């Protein structure tokens, strides 16, 4: 009996465990899925919790509910991965697992400790993240009694998970404060280490324009050096300082510590991965999905989904001694909430930046690209159902994995 | 514009087209064009960036530079004001860093 070990039962790991359970011969392969947490969070929902648009219970299910029946689920942290010896040691009872194939799906997490003063006295007092369940729930409590002042949204360092989420947060904050009738008492400032609103030129221009239209001031090229939680001020390396009443922080994102400990990661604990085949650059029987890899695509669930199609094919090919296919094209597809019941959609890959047009079909869409519409907002809301019922179960999605130029205007 | 700068091609953002054409003399002129006079400390960063490019094929991130040299982030911003990652890559004759998506 051979062992296929999946480390991490988040979006990518769960989806792949389900696909592997269908594709691998159960007489030949045993699938083991390991995670330190029992709860599966619908992470896109963290964005809506601070404003009360989603309730905390809307985004929580148990991980076990999504584990295929012929796979073993182990609740444990991971102590060490030794890819040269095909061996993983778990924290729980120091259990050692010898594997034949390994999928790393250990994701990424925020590291407020990387910025001086950020994780100190102000943390979850008037400094909040919304990238964790605890952070978004705590922020919703704070906002419900907030009467006005300066709200600073700070992106500490790139890359981050779901790079459009900080922009969406800003748009929704504008909407939320208008609904509460206190927008005139709130100043919104968006600070980013990028030179504009986003990384890609056309989208950056469009999203930057939206910030301006909504009266949200953007402070570009702002590389945060430290936070003075006593004075409520953030400082940049080039000497700028900005005071805040509420600091909404997107701290440095890093891969799991065990990746660093095991010598498998780059400076941010992301695993060097072939960006077209999704095989580890160093070990042929190690595969990487989603946020855990260093591929230059957005860290997001939709990307993990597109990656899973390449991965399942290449894993099968590798097991049967066939050459790998270089099919992953860096496809990213994401809805961007812009407030007032509207949303944007962007669709791009390694080579093509987000362009205007319609998706997935020309003219009829129904979704419009790089343009605000109500239908896009419905798409975002529908995604929660799709996530729980199709995506993490590894079922086929009604859109192609590779990006298409159909409907796009270059 | 100097003859040396004229003799090589740059992309629209001012990054050297072919990193193999880079020389130390060229670095000095690119730096001068950006308003920087190169010191020994600049060279620590530039040499490190060149080595990283040779082994990994791309410009190092800020975090990579500060982790593996004795130059810290504050000093890096002093040496290459504004955007040290981009500016250091430019002077080192490398392509625009692709780190952020």
């Amino acid at each position: 009996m051979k062992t296929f070990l999946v480390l991490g039962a988040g979006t990518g790991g769960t989806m792949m465990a389900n696909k592997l359970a269908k594709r691998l011969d159960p007489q030949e392969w045993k699938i083991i899925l390991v995670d330190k947490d029992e709860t599966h969070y619908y992470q896109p929902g963290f964005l809506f919790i601070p404003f009360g648009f989603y309730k905390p219970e809307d985004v929580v299910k148990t991980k076990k509910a999504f584990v295929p029946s012929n796979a073993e689920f182990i609740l444990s942290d991971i102590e060490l991965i030794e890819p040269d010896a095909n061996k993983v040691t778990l924290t729980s009872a120091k259990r050692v697992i010898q594997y034949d194939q390994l999928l790393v799906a250990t994701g990424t997490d925020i590291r407020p400790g990387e910025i001086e003063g950020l994780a100190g006295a102000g943390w979850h007092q008037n400094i909040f993240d919304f990238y964790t369940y605890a952070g978004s729930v705590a922020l919703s409590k704070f906002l419900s009694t907030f009467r006005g002042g300066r709200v600073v949204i700070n992106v500490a360092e790139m890359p981050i998970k779901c790079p459009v989420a900080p922009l969406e947060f800003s748009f929704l904050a504008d909407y939320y404060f208008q609904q509460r009738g206190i927008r005139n008492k709130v100043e919104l400032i968006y600070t980013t280490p990028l030179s504009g609103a986003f990384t890609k030129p056309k989208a950056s221009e469009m999203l930057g324009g939206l910030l301006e239209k909504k009266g949200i001031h953007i402070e570009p090229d702002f590389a945060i050096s430290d936070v003075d939680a006593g004075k409520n001020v953030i400082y940049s390396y080039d000497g700028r300082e900005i005071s805040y009443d509420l600091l909404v922080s997107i701290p440095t994102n890093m891969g799991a510590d065990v990746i660093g400990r095991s010598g498998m990661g780059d400076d941010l604990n992301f695993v060097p991965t072939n960006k077209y085949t999704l095989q580890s650059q160093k070990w042929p029987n190690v595969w990487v999905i989603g946020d855990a890899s260093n591929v230059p695509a957005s860290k997001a669930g939709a990307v993990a989904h597109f990656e899973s199609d390449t991965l399942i094919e290449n894993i099968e090919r590798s097991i049967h001694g066939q050459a790998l296919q270089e099919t992953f094209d860096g496809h990213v597809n994401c809805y961007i909430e812009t407030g007032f019941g509207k949303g944007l959609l962007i669709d791009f890959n390694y080579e093509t930046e987000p362009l205007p047009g319609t998706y997935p079909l020309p003219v009829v869409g129904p979704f419009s690209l790089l343009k605000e519409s109500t239908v896009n907002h419905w798409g975002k809301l529908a995604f929660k159902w799709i996530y729980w019922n199709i995506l993490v179960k590894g079922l086929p999605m009604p859109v192609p994995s590779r990006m298409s130029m159909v409907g796009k205007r270059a | 514009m100097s003859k040396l700068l004229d003799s090589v091609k740059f992309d629209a953002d001012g990054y050297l087209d072919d990193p193999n054409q880079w020389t130390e003399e060229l670095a000095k002129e690119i730096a001068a064009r950006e308003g920087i006079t190169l010191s020994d400390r600049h060279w620590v960063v530039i040499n490190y960036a060149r080595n990283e490019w040779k082994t990994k094929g791309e410009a190092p991130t800020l975090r990579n530079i500060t982790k593996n040299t004795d130059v810290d982030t504050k000093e890096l911003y002093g040496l290459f004001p504004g955007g040290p990652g981009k500016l250091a890559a430019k002077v080192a004759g490398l392509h625009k860093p692709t780190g952020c998506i």
Side-chain angles (χ1 to χ4, degrees):
Chain A
M1 199 71 169
K2 291 180 191 161
T3 297
F4 201 111
L5 178 58
V6 179
L7 299 179
T11 309
T14 306
M15 185 190 311
M16 280 302 293
N18 280 294
K19 290 197 171 195
L20 289 165
K22 279 189 212 106
R23 294 283 275 268
L24 298 180
D25 179 357
Q27 305 298 321
E28 199 183 347
W29 287 92
K30 180 181 171 59
I31 300 166
I32 303 176
L33 185 58
V34 177
D35 201 288
K36 62 180 188 309
D37 199 345
E38 276 178 297
T39 310
H40 191 126
Y41 294 103
Y42 175 63
Q43 295 177 66
F46 292 172
L47 172 69
F48 298 112
I49 291 176
F51 308 107
F53 300 156
Y54 275 5
K55 294 197 170 57
E57 57 268 29
D58 291 341
V59 302
V60 193
K61 287 188 196 286
T62 154
K63 284 195 161 150
K64 271 194 187 142
F66 300 98
V67 177
S69 55
N70 52 348
E72 181 188 357
F73 180 73
I74 303 173
L75 188 66
S76 170
D77 211 337
I78 307 152
E79 195 160 286
L80 195 69
I81 308 168
E82 295 167 85
D84 287 326
N86 300 321
K87 197 169 105 180
V88 168
T89 307
L90 304 183
T91 315
S92 159
K94 304 276 174 230
R95 177 168 166 188
V96 173
I97 300 174
Q98 205 70 45
Y99 64 80
D100 295 281
Q101 297 283 333
L102 177 73
L103 175 71
V104 179
T106 41
T108 179
D109 247 318
I110 56 161
R111 302 298 173 100
E114 291 290 310
I115 307 293
E116 206 187 312
L118 183 59
W123 187 249
H124 289 189
Q125 298 302 313
N126 67 338
I127 304 175
F128 297 89
D129 72 283
F130 65 95
Y131 272 57
T132 60
Y133 180 75
S136 66
V137 172
L139 178 53
S140 89
K141 291 202 179 102
F142 181 91
L143 278 177
S144 64
T145 58
F146 188 67
R147 308 219 170 275
R150 182 186 276 178
V151 178
V152 175
I153 296 116
N154 173 255
V155 179
E157 192 174 346
M158 299 299 284
I160 54 167
K161 192 197 298 246
C162 192
V164 295
L167 287 166
E168 295 182 277
F169 184 91
S170 309
F171 298 145
L172 288 176
D174 165 66
Y175 174 49
Y176 168 81
F177 290 125
Q178 287 204 34
Q179 279 193 318
R180 283 191 46 201
I182 57 168
R183 181 64 180 92
N184 58 348
K185 297 196 179 91
V186 178
E187 189 184 358
L188 286 168
I189 300 181
Y190 185 82
T191 61
T192 169
L194 299 173
S195 301
F198 196 57
T199 53
K200 311 277 177 179
K202 281 203 175 70
S204 185
E205 205 184 304
M206 157 68 192
L207 294 164
L210 263 183
L211 284 174
E212 202 180 322
K213 203 174 95 186
K214 292 173 187 292
I216 302 163
H217 174 75
I218 177 167
E219 190 75 22
D221 296 314
F222 189 93
I224 190 168
S225 62
D226 57 302
V227 180
D228 186 330
K231 289 187 188 156
N232 293 332
V233 175
I234 58 172
Y235 301 91
S236 71
Y237 279 110
D238 61 4
R240 280 175 277 172
E241 51 178 272
I242 298 174
S243 65
Y244 60 83
D245 295 299
L246 163 62
L247 176 62
V248 177
S249 165
I250 295 87
T252 304
N253 278 214
M254 287 177 74
D257 285 332
V258 66
I259 301 299
R261 268 202 303 278
S262 306
M264 294 176 75
D266 63 12
D267 298 317
L268 289 166
N269 296 346
F270 296 127
V271 184
T273 306
N274 181 307
K275 68 179 195 175
Y276 302 115
T277 65
L278 305 172
Q279 186 181 43
S280 145
Q281 285 179 11
K282 202 163 166 194
W283 299 279
N285 64 337
V286 176
W287 310 87
V288 193
I289 190 167
D291 302 352
S293 92
N294 78 332
V295 304
S298 292
K299 296 187 179 302
V303 176
H305 163 74
F306 295 136
E307 288 174 340
S308 73
D309 285 340
T310 291
L311 274 165
I312 196 77
E313 292 302 327
N314 276 341
I315 287 167
E316 267 202 325
R317 284 172 162 266
S318 171
I319 287 172
H320 296 125
Q322 296 163 328
L324 303 188
Q325 286 187 321
E326 298 191 332
T327 45
F328 183 62
D329 62 354
H331 191 186
V332 180
N333 176 291
C334 71
Y335 293 97
I336 306 173
E337 276 294 291
T338 54
F340 301 92
K342 288 190 176 170
L344 282 172
L345 178 64
I346 56 175
D347 189 67
F348 59 106
N349 69 8
Y350 288 143
E351 312 300 333
T352 310
E353 64 161 323
L355 296 169
T358 52
Y359 181 88
L361 301 170
V363 192
V364 294
F367 302 112
S368 45
L369 294 166
L370 258 189
K371 192 177 152 208
E372 278 189 285
S373 83
T374 308
V375 179
N376 289 340
H377 165 70
W378 295 341
K380 178 103 181 179
L381 296 187
F383 189 69
K384 186 165 72 140
W385 187 91
I386 293 171
Y387 182 88
W388 291 123
N389 294 285
I390 298 178
L391 198 97
V392 288
K393 290 182 179 168
L395 299 172
M397 290 267 281
V399 291
S401 276
R402 288 175 71 83
M403 199 204 75
S404 158
M405 284 303 286
V406 169
K408 292 190 174 64
R409 295 194 304 273
Chain B
M1 195 175 268
S2 82
K3 275 190 182 156
L4 191 55
L5 288 176
D6 274 344
S7 69
V8 291
K9 267 195 192 154
F10 293 93
D11 72 10
D13 298 320
Y15 294 86
L16 192 61
D17 254 352
D18 177 5
N20 290 306
Q21 290 183 324
W22 182 88
T23 60
E24 295 194 355
E25 278 310 304
L26 188 61
K28 285 178 198 161
E29 299 211 7
I30 297 171
R33 186 165 71 181
E34 300 289 336
I36 299 169
T37 310
L38 296 181
S39 67
D40 289 353
R41 298 300 284 168
H42 287 98
W43 282 106
V44 171
V45 178
I46 296 167
N47 290 332
Y48 179 74
R50 290 292 303 179
N51 269 327
E52 279 293 290
W53 172 74
K54 271 180 207 151
T55 52
K56 292 181 187 156
E58 54 186 67
T61 60
L62 288 193
R63 180 174 280 270
N64 180 328
I65 295 169
T66 55
K67 200 170 165 183
N68 298 300
T69 67
D70 65 346
V71 180
D72 67 17
T73 315
K74 198 116 206 162
E75 187 183 0
L76 207 47
Y77 271 86
L79 293 171
F80 299 97
K86 285 181 246 174
L87 214 44
K90 212 175 251 188
V91 176
L94 308 177
H95 290 161
K96 193 172 177 175
T98 52
C100 38
I101 300 299

